[in-house]
Amino acid sequence: MGLDEILDLVALGRLVTVVGSSVADRLVPDVVAVAVSDLPATTLALGWPRQTSRPEVTSFARTAQRLADGRQEPADPAA
């Protein structure tokens, strides 16, 4: 189930969910978001099938790791 489906279920009153603040710009007019500021920080993990051979998955994972490490530019121009 994707985010759009989840938000549709929320708008229909069939689901309540917790989402990251990055989702705020995707909320439909029928959905209200309330900031929850007293929860501990969370860690997001990126997962994919071990045997993937798709270069875009590898590129995305490298970019995500680079950004998580605080680097703005690829360490290796071939990355």
Side-chain angles (χ1 to χ4, degrees):
M1 179 180 308
L3 178 60
D4 290 333
E5 292 170 294
I6 291 170
L7 294 177
D8 286 344
L9 291 173
V10 172
L12 291 170
R14 298 180 57 199
L15 181 70
V16 174
T17 188
V18 176
V19 295
S21 59
S22 63
V23 174
D25 62 332
R26 296 196 44 197
L27 296 178
V28 296
D30 295 334
V31 174
V32 176
V34 176
V36 180
S37 60
D38 59 345
L39 292 177
T42 61
T43 300
L44 297 177
L46 177 62
W48 62 91
R50 182 180 301 275
Q51 301 302 321
T52 190
S53 60
R54 297 178 60 189
E56 57 272 346
V57 172
T58 302
S59 177
F60 181 77
R62 284 183 181 155
T63 299
Q65 184 63 59
R66 177 174 47 83
L67 293 173
D69 291 343
R71 294 180 282 131
Q72 296 302 312
E73 299 298 325
D76 179 322

